Amino acid sequence: MMKFRLFTISILAILACATAVAQNSDQRHITPVRPSTNTTLRPAKGTKEEVVQDYLKGDTTAARDRLRKDSLKRVYPRYPLLTDVTVGVNLLDPVLKIFGQKYCSFDVSATLNMWNRLQPVLELGVGYAHETPDDMNFTYKGKLSPYVRLGANYNMMFKSDPRYQVGLGFRLGYSTFKYDVTNITQRSDYWGEHYTYDIKGESSHALWGEFLAGLRVNLWRNISAGWQVKYQGIFNYKKNANTRPWYVPGFGPRDRKWAFTFSVYYTIPLSLDKWPKKESKDKGTAGAGGTTPGGTVIGAAK
C-alpha cells in the first residue's frame, strides 16, 4: 500500500513539472523579452503634459477627451469676451466732395469686438449741404450740424482672424440741424412775372434706420480698410410750415434709400494673451510622432 502511494505521488510530481515547463516554453515563444523594446513609448513632442500623464496612467478615455477638446479649439477658435477695439474714419464723402458732390458727411466710429462676433458700434459726425437740386426751384443750404448713429455688427467670419471680417449690421441714427432755403423762384400766372424769396433759419430733427453689409481687410499691421453698403429709411422728421428738409446730416438726401461708405480703421487688440495661439503646420497631424484625428498618440520620442 505504501509503495502504491509513493508511485502515485511520483507520477503527479512528474506531470506538474512537465506542465510548468510547457507553459513557460509557450510564453517565451509568444512574447520574447528584448532589451531594446522594454521601454515606455512617450507621445510626440508638443503633446500636452496632461494628455501624456493620462496615457501613462492607462486612462485613455480622459486622454482622448482632452485631445478632442484641443482639436475643436484648433478648428473653432474661442476668442475672449473683449477681443479688440477699432476706430475708423469714413473717407468716401470727403473724396466725393472733392469731385463735385454738393453735400458731405464726415464721421468717425468706435467698434468694440466681443468674442470676435458681436460688435457694438458708435458713430459720431457732422454734415452739411449746399445744393440746387435738379428740376427744383430753390437752393438748399444745410448748416454744419452733428449726428450720431448707434448699432451693432455681427461678424460672419468669427472663426477666422479678426483682421478679416464680413459683417451684417444695423444702425439707428439721429440728427438735429438747421437749414436755409434760398433763391426760391415762383411764377405768377396772374401777373406773368417771376419773383424770388428766401426762407432762413429753419430747424428740424430726424430719426432713421439703416441695414448694412460690410467687408473689412487688413492692409498693414493694425491698419485695415472696409466697405459698407446700406439700405436706409427715415422713420420720422420735423416738417415746418413752409419747408421740408432736403438733406439730413448723417443720412444724406431725404429720399435716398441706398448709401455706401469707405473707411480706414486702426485696431487695438485686447486680451492678446488669451487669443488662440497659431499652431505650427506639423503640430497635431497624424504621422510619425504626431496624433491621429481620433486623439490616439502614436510614435515615440527618441
Short mmCIF file of all heavy atoms in Angstrom, two decimals, residues 59-102:
data_model
loop_
_atom_site.label_atom_id
_atom_site.label_comp_id
_atom_site.label_asym_id
_atom_site.label_seq_id
_atom_site.Cartn_x
_atom_site.Cartn_y
_atom_site.Cartn_z
N ASP A 59 -5.31 55.80 -18.55
CA ASP A 59 -6.63 56.39 -18.69
C ASP A 59 -6.79 56.97 -20.10
O ASP A 59 -6.73 58.17 -20.32
CB ASP A 59 -6.83 57.48 -17.63
CG ASP A 59 -8.29 57.93 -17.55
OD1 ASP A 59 -9.10 57.48 -18.37
OD2 ASP A 59 -8.60 58.74 -16.65
N THR A 60 -6.98 56.10 -21.07
CA THR A 60 -7.05 56.55 -22.46
C THR A 60 -8.32 57.35 -22.75
O THR A 60 -8.33 58.20 -23.64
CB THR A 60 -6.99 55.34 -23.41
OG1 THR A 60 -8.05 54.43 -23.08
CG2 THR A 60 -5.65 54.62 -23.27
N THR A 61 -9.39 57.09 -22.00
CA THR A 61 -10.63 57.84 -22.22
C THR A 61 -10.44 59.32 -21.93
O THR A 61 -10.83 60.18 -22.72
CB THR A 61 -11.75 57.28 -21.33
OG1 THR A 61 -11.94 55.89 -21.64
CG2 THR A 61 -13.05 58.04 -21.57
N ALA A 62 -9.81 59.63 -20.80
CA ALA A 62 -9.57 61.03 -20.45
C ALA A 62 -8.61 61.67 -21.44
O ALA A 62 -8.78 62.83 -21.83
CB ALA A 62 -9.01 61.13 -19.03
N ALA A 63 -7.58 60.93 -21.87
CA ALA A 63 -6.61 61.48 -22.81
C ALA A 63 -7.27 61.82 -24.14
O ALA A 63 -7.05 62.89 -24.72
CB ALA A 63 -5.47 60.49 -23.02
N ARG A 64 -8.10 60.93 -24.63
CA ARG A 64 -8.78 61.18 -25.91
C ARG A 64 -9.75 62.35 -25.80
O ARG A 64 -9.92 63.12 -26.74
CB ARG A 64 -9.50 59.92 -26.37
CG ARG A 64 -8.54 58.84 -26.85
CD ARG A 64 -9.25 57.55 -27.14
NE ARG A 64 -8.31 56.54 -27.60
CZ ARG A 64 -8.61 55.25 -27.73
NH1 ARG A 64 -9.82 54.83 -27.42
NH2 ARG A 64 -7.71 54.40 -28.16
N ASP A 65 -10.41 62.48 -24.65
CA ASP A 65 -11.32 63.59 -24.45
C ASP A 65 -10.58 64.92 -24.48
O ASP A 65 -11.04 65.90 -25.06
CB ASP A 65 -12.06 63.42 -23.12
CG ASP A 65 -13.14 64.47 -22.94
OD1 ASP A 65 -14.04 64.55 -23.79
OD2 ASP A 65 -13.07 65.23 -21.94
N ARG A 66 -9.39 64.96 -23.83
CA ARG A 66 -8.59 66.18 -23.86
C ARG A 66 -8.15 66.52 -25.28
O ARG A 66 -8.19 67.67 -25.71
CB ARG A 66 -7.36 66.03 -22.97
CG ARG A 66 -7.65 66.02 -21.47
CD ARG A 66 -6.35 65.87 -20.70
NE ARG A 66 -6.55 65.66 -19.29
CZ ARG A 66 -6.67 66.65 -18.40
NH1 ARG A 66 -6.63 67.90 -18.80
NH2 ARG A 66 -6.84 66.39 -17.11
N LEU A 67 -7.71 65.49 -26.01
CA LEU A 67 -7.27 65.73 -27.38
C LEU A 67 -8.41 66.20 -28.26
O LEU A 67 -8.24 67.05 -29.14
CB LEU A 67 -6.65 64.45 -27.96
CG LEU A 67 -5.27 64.08 -27.42
CD1 LEU A 67 -4.88 62.71 -27.92
CD2 LEU A 67 -4.24 65.11 -27.84
N ARG A 68 -9.61 65.67 -28.03
CA ARG A 68 -10.77 66.10 -28.82
C ARG A 68 -11.08 67.57 -28.57
O ARG A 68 -11.34 68.34 -29.49
CB ARG A 68 -11.99 65.24 -28.46
CG ARG A 68 -13.22 65.53 -29.31
CD ARG A 68 -14.40 64.70 -28.85
NE ARG A 68 -14.83 65.13 -27.54
CZ ARG A 68 -15.67 66.17 -27.32
NH1 ARG A 68 -16.10 66.86 -28.34
NH2 ARG A 68 -16.02 66.51 -26.11
N LYS A 69 -11.02 68.00 -27.30
CA LYS A 69 -11.28 69.40 -26.99
C LYS A 69 -10.21 70.31 -27.62
O LYS A 69 -10.52 71.39 -28.12
CB LYS A 69 -11.31 69.60 -25.48
CG LYS A 69 -12.52 68.96 -24.80
CD LYS A 69 -12.49 69.18 -23.30
CE LYS A 69 -13.71 68.54 -22.64
NZ LYS A 69 -13.69 68.72 -21.16
N ASP A 70 -8.95 69.84 -27.58
CA ASP A 70 -7.88 70.64 -28.18
C ASP A 70 -8.08 70.76 -29.68
O ASP A 70 -7.86 71.82 -30.27
CB ASP A 70 -6.52 70.02 -27.88
CG ASP A 70 -6.14 70.17 -26.41
OD1 ASP A 70 -6.78 71.00 -25.74
OD2 ASP A 70 -5.24 69.45 -25.96
N SER A 71 -8.49 69.67 -30.33
CA SER A 71 -8.69 69.71 -31.78
C SER A 71 -9.85 70.63 -32.14
O SER A 71 -9.83 71.33 -33.14
CB SER A 71 -8.94 68.30 -32.32
OG SER A 71 -10.14 67.76 -31.79
N LEU A 72 -10.90 70.66 -31.31
CA LEU A 72 -12.01 71.56 -31.56
C LEU A 72 -11.58 73.01 -31.44
O LEU A 72 -12.03 73.87 -32.19
CB LEU A 72 -13.15 71.27 -30.57
CG LEU A 72 -13.96 69.99 -30.83
CD1 LEU A 72 -14.98 69.79 -29.72
CD2 LEU A 72 -14.65 70.04 -32.17
N LYS A 73 -10.69 73.31 -30.50
CA LYS A 73 -10.19 74.67 -30.35
C LYS A 73 -9.41 75.10 -31.58
O LYS A 73 -9.44 76.27 -31.98
CB LYS A 73 -9.32 74.79 -29.11
CG LYS A 73 -10.10 74.75 -27.81
CD LYS A 73 -9.18 74.89 -26.62
CE LYS A 73 -9.98 74.85 -25.31
NZ LYS A 73 -9.10 74.98 -24.13
N ARG A 74 -8.69 74.14 -32.18
CA ARG A 74 -7.94 74.50 -33.38
C ARG A 74 -8.87 74.76 -34.55
O ARG A 74 -8.65 75.65 -35.36
CB ARG A 74 -6.94 73.38 -33.73
CG ARG A 74 -5.74 73.32 -32.79
CD ARG A 74 -4.67 72.43 -33.37
NE ARG A 74 -5.08 71.04 -33.43
CZ ARG A 74 -4.88 70.17 -32.44
NH1 ARG A 74 -4.31 70.56 -31.32
NH2 ARG A 74 -5.27 68.92 -32.57
N VAL A 75 -9.96 73.98 -34.65
CA VAL A 75 -10.91 74.16 -35.75
C VAL A 75 -11.81 75.37 -35.49
O VAL A 75 -12.14 76.11 -36.39
CB VAL A 75 -11.76 72.88 -35.91
CG1 VAL A 75 -12.86 73.10 -36.94
CG2 VAL A 75 -10.88 71.72 -36.32
N TYR A 76 -12.17 75.60 -34.25
CA TYR A 76 -13.13 76.64 -33.88
C TYR A 76 -12.54 77.47 -32.75
O TYR A 76 -12.80 77.22 -31.59
CB TYR A 76 -14.43 75.96 -33.45
CG TYR A 76 -15.57 76.88 -33.13
CD1 TYR A 76 -16.80 76.36 -32.77
CD2 TYR A 76 -15.44 78.26 -33.17
CE1 TYR A 76 -17.87 77.17 -32.47
CE2 TYR A 76 -16.49 79.09 -32.87
CZ TYR A 76 -17.70 78.54 -32.51
OH TYR A 76 -18.75 79.37 -32.20
N PRO A 77 -11.69 78.44 -33.07
CA PRO A 77 -11.01 79.20 -32.02
C PRO A 77 -11.99 80.02 -31.20
O PRO A 77 -12.94 80.58 -31.72
CB PRO A 77 -10.07 80.12 -32.81
CG PRO A 77 -10.69 80.23 -34.16
CD PRO A 77 -11.36 78.92 -34.42
N ARG A 78 -11.77 80.04 -29.90
CA ARG A 78 -12.61 80.80 -28.99
C ARG A 78 -11.87 82.07 -28.58
O ARG A 78 -10.87 82.01 -27.87
CB ARG A 78 -12.93 79.97 -27.74
CG ARG A 78 -13.53 78.61 -28.05
CD ARG A 78 -14.98 78.73 -28.47
NE ARG A 78 -15.56 77.42 -28.73
CZ ARG A 78 -16.85 77.20 -28.94
NH1 ARG A 78 -17.67 78.23 -28.95
NH2 ARG A 78 -17.31 76.00 -29.18
N TYR A 79 -12.37 83.20 -29.05
CA TYR A 79 -11.73 84.47 -28.71
C TYR A 79 -12.29 84.99 -27.40
O TYR A 79 -13.41 84.65 -27.00
CB TYR A 79 -11.96 85.49 -29.84
CG TYR A 79 -11.11 85.21 -31.05
CD1 TYR A 79 -11.57 84.39 -32.08
CD2 TYR A 79 -9.83 85.73 -31.16
CE1 TYR A 79 -10.79 84.12 -33.19
CE2 TYR A 79 -9.04 85.48 -32.27
CZ TYR A 79 -9.53 84.67 -33.28
OH TYR A 79 -8.75 84.40 -34.37
N PRO A 80 -11.55 85.85 -26.71
CA PRO A 80 -12.01 86.36 -25.42
C PRO A 80 -13.20 87.30 -25.58
O PRO A 80 -13.50 87.76 -26.68
CB PRO A 80 -10.78 87.10 -24.86
CG PRO A 80 -10.00 87.47 -26.08
CD PRO A 80 -10.19 86.34 -27.05
N LEU A 81 -13.85 87.58 -24.47
CA LEU A 81 -15.01 88.48 -24.47
C LEU A 81 -14.66 89.81 -25.12
O LEU A 81 -15.35 90.29 -26.01
CB LEU A 81 -15.49 88.70 -23.03
CG LEU A 81 -16.52 89.82 -22.84
CD1 LEU A 81 -17.78 89.53 -23.63
CD2 LEU A 81 -16.84 89.99 -21.36
N LEU A 82 -13.58 90.44 -24.69
CA LEU A 82 -13.13 91.71 -25.27
C LEU A 82 -11.99 91.41 -26.22
O LEU A 82 -10.84 91.31 -25.80
CB LEU A 82 -12.71 92.69 -24.17
CG LEU A 82 -13.78 92.99 -23.12
CD1 LEU A 82 -13.24 93.96 -22.08
CD2 LEU A 82 -15.04 93.55 -23.77
N THR A 83 -12.29 91.24 -27.49
CA THR A 83 -11.28 90.84 -28.47
C THR A 83 -10.43 92.03 -28.90
O THR A 83 -9.21 91.97 -28.87
CB THR A 83 -11.96 90.21 -29.70
OG1 THR A 83 -12.79 89.13 -29.27
CG2 THR A 83 -10.91 89.69 -30.67
N ASP A 84 -11.08 93.13 -29.32
CA ASP A 84 -10.32 94.31 -29.73
C ASP A 84 -11.25 95.52 -29.79
O ASP A 84 -12.48 95.40 -29.71
CB ASP A 84 -9.62 94.09 -31.08
CG ASP A 84 -10.60 93.73 -32.20
OD1 ASP A 84 -11.51 94.53 -32.46
OD2 ASP A 84 -10.45 92.66 -32.81
N VAL A 85 -10.64 96.69 -29.92
CA VAL A 85 -11.36 97.94 -30.14
C VAL A 85 -10.83 98.55 -31.44
O VAL A 85 -9.61 98.61 -31.65
CB VAL A 85 -11.16 98.94 -28.98
CG1 VAL A 85 -11.72 100.31 -29.35
CG2 VAL A 85 -11.82 98.43 -27.72
N THR A 86 -11.75 98.97 -32.30
CA THR A 86 -11.36 99.52 -33.61
C THR A 86 -11.96 100.91 -33.78
O THR A 86 -13.15 101.12 -33.54
CB THR A 86 -11.84 98.60 -34.74
OG1 THR A 86 -11.23 97.32 -34.61
CG2 THR A 86 -11.47 99.19 -36.10
N VAL A 87 -11.12 101.84 -34.20
CA VAL A 87 -11.59 103.20 -34.54
C VAL A 87 -11.44 103.37 -36.05
O VAL A 87 -10.49 102.88 -36.65
CB VAL A 87 -10.80 104.27 -33.77
CG1 VAL A 87 -11.07 104.20 -32.29
CG2 VAL A 87 -9.30 104.15 -34.03
N GLY A 88 -12.40 104.06 -36.65
CA GLY A 88 -12.39 104.23 -38.09
C GLY A 88 -12.79 105.63 -38.52
O GLY A 88 -13.44 106.37 -37.77
N VAL A 89 -12.40 105.98 -39.74
CA VAL A 89 -12.73 107.27 -40.33
C VAL A 89 -13.35 107.02 -41.70
O VAL A 89 -12.76 106.32 -42.54
CB VAL A 89 -11.49 108.17 -40.46
CG1 VAL A 89 -11.86 109.49 -41.12
CG2 VAL A 89 -10.83 108.40 -39.11
N ASN A 90 -14.54 107.57 -41.93
CA ASN A 90 -15.21 107.44 -43.22
C ASN A 90 -14.62 108.46 -44.20
O ASN A 90 -14.68 109.67 -43.96
CB ASN A 90 -16.71 107.67 -43.04
CG ASN A 90 -17.45 107.56 -44.36
OD1 ASN A 90 -16.96 107.01 -45.34
ND2 ASN A 90 -18.66 108.10 -44.38
N LEU A 91 -14.08 107.98 -45.31
CA LEU A 91 -13.40 108.85 -46.27
C LEU A 91 -14.16 109.05 -47.57
O LEU A 91 -13.77 109.88 -48.39
CB LEU A 91 -12.02 108.27 -46.61
CG LEU A 91 -11.04 108.11 -45.44
CD1 LEU A 91 -9.75 107.50 -45.94
CD2 LEU A 91 -10.79 109.43 -44.76
N LEU A 92 -15.25 108.33 -47.79
CA LEU A 92 -15.91 108.37 -49.09
C LEU A 92 -16.52 109.74 -49.39
O LEU A 92 -16.30 110.31 -50.47
CB LEU A 92 -16.97 107.29 -49.19
CG LEU A 92 -17.68 107.19 -50.55
CD1 LEU A 92 -16.67 106.90 -51.66
CD2 LEU A 92 -18.76 106.12 -50.53
N ASP A 93 -17.29 110.28 -48.45
CA ASP A 93 -17.93 111.57 -48.70
C ASP A 93 -16.92 112.70 -48.93
O ASP A 93 -17.10 113.51 -49.85
CB ASP A 93 -18.88 111.91 -47.55
CG ASP A 93 -20.33 111.56 -47.90
OD1 ASP A 93 -20.52 110.77 -48.85
OD2 ASP A 93 -21.24 112.08 -47.24
N PRO A 94 -15.86 112.81 -48.10
CA PRO A 94 -14.86 113.85 -48.39
C PRO A 94 -14.23 113.71 -49.77
O PRO A 94 -13.97 114.72 -50.44
CB PRO A 94 -13.83 113.67 -47.28
CG PRO A 94 -14.60 113.08 -46.14
CD PRO A 94 -15.60 112.17 -46.78
N VAL A 95 -14.00 112.48 -50.22
CA VAL A 95 -13.43 112.29 -51.55
C VAL A 95 -14.43 112.71 -52.62
O VAL A 95 -14.08 113.38 -53.60
CB VAL A 95 -13.01 110.82 -51.74
CG1 VAL A 95 -12.62 110.54 -53.20
CG2 VAL A 95 -11.84 110.47 -50.82
N LEU A 96 -15.71 112.31 -52.46
CA LEU A 96 -16.73 112.72 -53.43
C LEU A 96 -16.93 114.23 -53.44
O LEU A 96 -17.25 114.81 -54.48
CB LEU A 96 -18.05 112.00 -53.11
CG LEU A 96 -18.06 110.49 -53.29
CD1 LEU A 96 -19.41 109.91 -52.89
CD2 LEU A 96 -17.71 110.09 -54.72
N LYS A 97 -16.74 114.85 -52.28
CA LYS A 97 -16.86 116.31 -52.22
C LYS A 97 -15.79 116.98 -53.09
O LYS A 97 -16.04 117.97 -53.79
CB LYS A 97 -16.69 116.78 -50.77
CG LYS A 97 -16.85 118.28 -50.57
CD LYS A 97 -18.30 118.70 -50.81
CE LYS A 97 -18.53 120.16 -50.40
NZ LYS A 97 -17.73 121.11 -51.18
N ILE A 98 -14.59 116.39 -53.11
CA ILE A 98 -13.52 116.92 -53.95
C ILE A 98 -13.90 116.84 -55.43
O ILE A 98 -13.57 117.72 -56.23
CB ILE A 98 -12.20 116.17 -53.69
CG1 ILE A 98 -11.74 116.42 -52.24
CG2 ILE A 98 -11.12 116.58 -54.66
CD1 ILE A 98 -10.53 115.60 -51.85
N PHE A 99 -14.65 115.80 -55.80
CA PHE A 99 -15.04 115.60 -57.19
C PHE A 99 -16.38 116.24 -57.53
O PHE A 99 -16.98 115.90 -58.55
CB PHE A 99 -15.07 114.11 -57.51
CG PHE A 99 -13.71 113.48 -57.62
CD1 PHE A 99 -13.13 112.88 -56.51
CD2 PHE A 99 -13.00 113.54 -58.80
CE1 PHE A 99 -11.86 112.31 -56.60
CE2 PHE A 99 -11.73 112.98 -58.90
CZ PHE A 99 -11.16 112.37 -57.80
N GLY A 100 -16.86 117.13 -56.65
CA GLY A 100 -18.02 117.94 -57.02
C GLY A 100 -19.32 117.66 -56.30
O GLY A 100 -20.32 118.34 -56.57
N GLN A 101 -19.36 116.69 -55.39
CA GLN A 101 -20.59 116.45 -54.65
C GLN A 101 -20.90 117.67 -53.77
O GLN A 101 -20.01 118.21 -53.13
CB GLN A 101 -20.46 115.18 -53.79
CG GLN A 101 -21.72 114.84 -53.02
CD GLN A 101 -21.61 113.50 -52.33
OE1 GLN A 101 -21.89 112.46 -52.92
NE2 GLN A 101 -21.20 113.51 -51.07
N LYS A 102 -22.16 118.08 -53.71
CA LYS A 102 -22.54 119.33 -53.05
C LYS A 102 -22.95 119.15 -51.58
O LYS A 102 -23.32 120.11 -50.92
CB LYS A 102 -23.70 119.99 -53.80
CG LYS A 102 -23.39 120.31 -55.26
CD LYS A 102 -22.18 121.26 -55.39
CE LYS A 102 -21.93 121.61 -56.83
NZ LYS A 102 -20.77 122.53 -56.98
#
